[in-house]
Amino acid sequence: MNARRTDLTQARTPRGFADRGAAELAATRAMADRIRETYELWGFEEVETPFFEYTDALGKFLPDQDRPNAGVFSLQDDDEQWMSLRYDLTAPLARHVAENFQKLAKPYRSYRFGPVFRNEKPGPGRFRQFLQFDADIVGAPSVSADAEMCMMMADALEAVGVKRGDYVIKVNNRKILDGVMEAIGLGGEENAGRRLTVLRAIDKLDRLGPDGVRALLGDGRKDESGDFTKGAGLDEAGAARVLSILEAKRSTNAETAEALAAEFAATPVGAKGATELKAIADLLAAAGYDGRVSVDPSVVRGLEYYTGPVYEAELTFQIAGDDGKPIQFGSVGGGGRYDGLVGRFMAENTPATGFSIGVSRLQAALRALKGETAEASTGPVVVLAFDRDRIGDSMALAARLRAAGIKAEAYLGGSGMKAQMKYADRRKSPCVVIQGSDERDKGEVTLKDLVEGAKAAAAIADRAEWTESRPAQVTVPEARLVEEVQAILARHR
RNA sequence: GCCGCCAUAGCUCAGUUGGUUAGAGCGCUAGAUUGUGGAUCUAGAGGUCCCUGGUUCGAGCCCAGGUGGUGGUACCA
């Protein structure tokens, strides 16, 4: 009967994708509910966009227009138009706003939650499908909107259980860096690539340190594996000037903003950036968010499209990993102002700012913080099946429990009683209902409390006593089924 | 993308210089126990030794290419 079959299909998830079980889904749902409550409290409304967008709507931010599958998952519709799975929630929002511009009250405050897809190499804790939770304000040009975004991000983190002090929202302004780059001769369209290289170099500060960043700003850097990363090609003075931004951090937001204003107001754009940061610092102070939101010149974000304030949510607690070394969780979300994004779809330019929370990443961090306390949720009461032809009786008993609001199921498998008990055990069933012919003849049911029973069993060593004692088990009139089961459930609440 | 390491049962792994029918522990299924979770004992099921090709009388083991995983690095909208 076991002839070797060679036609079996291999059961496997695609690389970088994962199935998620009940415990993890429950944790995700709980977290999403907290975030949702926070956003609604701030007056944001939910909107959902499809997983697919036309590739051109996702935009010029694709790494290579000629290869639509690089970075994103793309396919051609039957009319030959390219469509792509969304890689974030911001580009689809920009499209939605442009498409419904007349209908939306501006400033438009909205949030959305869902999976996004990236076609790149997966790593540990890094998947090709993951969840984001975004909030954006479209149509508010002032930095008060950016300040509000930072505050709401802080509220959201606290709502999901990150304690004050265990996180920090860092905020900076792109314009300061733009000013510096302009001053050292990196202005203009022709230097866009080098400006991006500078941004990416600064983004690596926490990992590579000042010397590593300096190398990336100059000629380039060779890492331990021998791979060479080309640098931005700045001269020594230029690199020093860029790095000096990072030293402007002071102990309070007001002082940092002032230091930046004093140092980097040489160009009009730099001055504007400093003024904006000062305004944000004032708003944060007035709202009581000092300390939770911190003005930090090292935040740049790797994205090209940000035009003003940028911010990043960082978890600051450390816990030891399996190898004893501390794990740094780092960034769990970020965002910024993208005044040009909606403008790709319509002549009217529309300012916008928003941020994204990496739900999967945040969830992983919280799980590590709290330990694997995914407390086993209680399963259903299981009504055992005695005679195959009396399954209707089991189902009727289960139905009575359900009518009383108790999770219950009749055992539908084909195994014997011992296996059925094991099944109930594995389902984390609090209690089983047994009705064989003995009970049925007398109009009774036997209930076994599995939680109590497990405790009693621990003390019993030999088989005879085990079978004899039948711990935590009662036989009651069938009419009292619901009350007695409720009593058992109440014991373990 | 680049560099390194790894791939044998559901899981963790052993497997001699290249030599007969590839093993262990755990897990799973069942029996001992006419109707009871645990413990104990016993039995059973479960394998394309990642794939393809090569060397050889003979390959789980050696060689080449591929695939997948993993650790760095790059990218991360």
Side-chain angles (χ1 to χ4, degrees), chain A residues 151-442:
Chain A
M151 298 180 206
M152 189 166 84
M153 210 162 168
D155 280 11
L157 286 181
E158 290 186 21
V160 302
V162 182
K163 288 199 197 64
R164 200 166 293 187
D166 277 352
Y167 72 90
V168 63
I169 313 295
K170 296 175 173 176
V171 57
N172 188 22
N173 197 317
R174 241 338 144 63
K175 288 174 185 166
I176 291 174
L177 190 57
D178 285 344
V180 169
M181 290 196 286
E182 196 180 310
I184 60 174
L186 276 189
E189 197 53 42
E190 70 279 11
N191 284 314
R194 287 174 73 194
R195 283 203 299 273
L196 198 56
T197 305
V198 171
L199 293 178
R200 288 173 181 162
I202 298 173
D203 211 21
K204 295 187 178 72
L205 178 68
D206 50 340
R207 198 155 43 82
L208 301 180
D211 291 337
V213 174
R214 196 185 309 274
L216 284 173
L217 289 173
D219 293 333
R221 176 178 171 273
K222 193 181 206 169
D223 63 53
E224 308 91 77
S225 66
D227 202 18
F228 183 76
T229 308
K230 196 170 176 305
L234 300 185
D235 59 27
E236 203 132 309
R241 185 68 180 148
V242 169
L243 280 165
S244 69
I245 297 176
L246 308 178
E247 285 148 23
K249 177 100 176 96
R250 300 289 184 271
S251 55
T252 70
N253 287 344
E255 285 167 18
T256 306
E258 262 164 47
L260 288 167
E263 269 285 305
F264 301 101
T267 59
V269 61
K272 185 126 197 300
T275 307
E276 287 181 3
L277 260 187
K278 178 71 168 65
I280 289 176
D282 289 346
L283 291 166
L284 292 171
Y289 280 79
D290 267 347
R292 286 187 264 171
V293 184
S294 171
V295 175
D296 188 327
S298 69
V299 173
V300 297
R301 312 278 303 158
L303 267 70
E304 226 175 332
Y305 62 57
Y306 288 126
T307 55
V310 288
Y311 27 89
E312 199 155 83
E314 195 167 302
L315 299 182
T316 53
F317 61 81
Q318 283 194 352
I319 65 159
D322 296 335
D323 53 2
K325 282 188 222 147
I327 306 173
Q328 273 275 26
F329 289 104
S331 172
V332 292
R337 178 161 287 275
Y338 49 96
D339 286 345
L341 210 49
V342 179
R344 295 197 299 115
F345 298 99
M346 48 195 300
E348 191 167 351
N349 216 349
T350 307
T353 185
F355 71 87
S356 174
I357 291 179
V359 172
S360 313
R361 207 160 169 187
L362 180 56
Q363 191 177 327
L366 288 178
R367 189 166 50 231
L369 178 64
K370 293 176 180 165
E372 296 290 337
T373 50
E375 68 238 36
S377 61
T378 306
V381 172
V382 174
V383 181
L384 302 196
F386 252 80
D387 316 304
R388 206 69 62 81
D389 50 351
R390 301 304 297 247
I391 184 70
D393 293 353
S394 312
M395 294 175 90
L397 291 173
R400 281 173 56 191
L401 292 171
R402 273 179 223 126
I406 298 166
K407 277 192 287 185
E409 66 166 287
Y411 180 81
L412 297 178
S415 301
M417 183 154 181
K418 189 171 175 119
Q420 294 187 36
M421 289 298 296
K422 280 176 96 155
Y423 170 80
D425 197 34
R426 264 202 233 169
R427 289 298 310 277
K428 300 194 171 62
S429 175
C431 149
V432 295
V433 177
I434 303 168
Q435 190 183 51
S437 54
D438 294 356
E439 287 92 347
R440 193 161 44 239
D441 291 347
K442 293 190 229 161

Side-chain angles (χ1 to χ4, degrees), chain A residues 93 97 101 105-109 136-140 338 342 350-353:
Chain A
L93 174 73
V97 169
F101 200 72
K106 263 80 66 182
Y108 174 53
R109 304 159 71 89
D136 297 82
I137 302 177
V138 180
Y338 49 96
V342 179
T350 307
T353 185

Side-chain angles (χ1 to χ4, degrees), chain A residues 61-99:
Chain A
F61 304 104
L62 293 174
D64 188 345
Q65 290 266 24
D66 299 330
R67 301 188 343 247
N69 265 313
V72 299
F73 293 99
S74 302
L75 57 84
Q76 239 172 334
D77 203 357
D78 54 11
D79 60 3
E80 314 250 303
Q81 297 197 71
W82 279 99
M83 306 196 303
S84 299
L85 281 171
R86 63 189 186 190
Y87 53 77
D88 71 7
L89 298 177
T90 307
L93 174 73
R95 189 227 81 219
H96 173 83
V97 169
E99 198 172 343

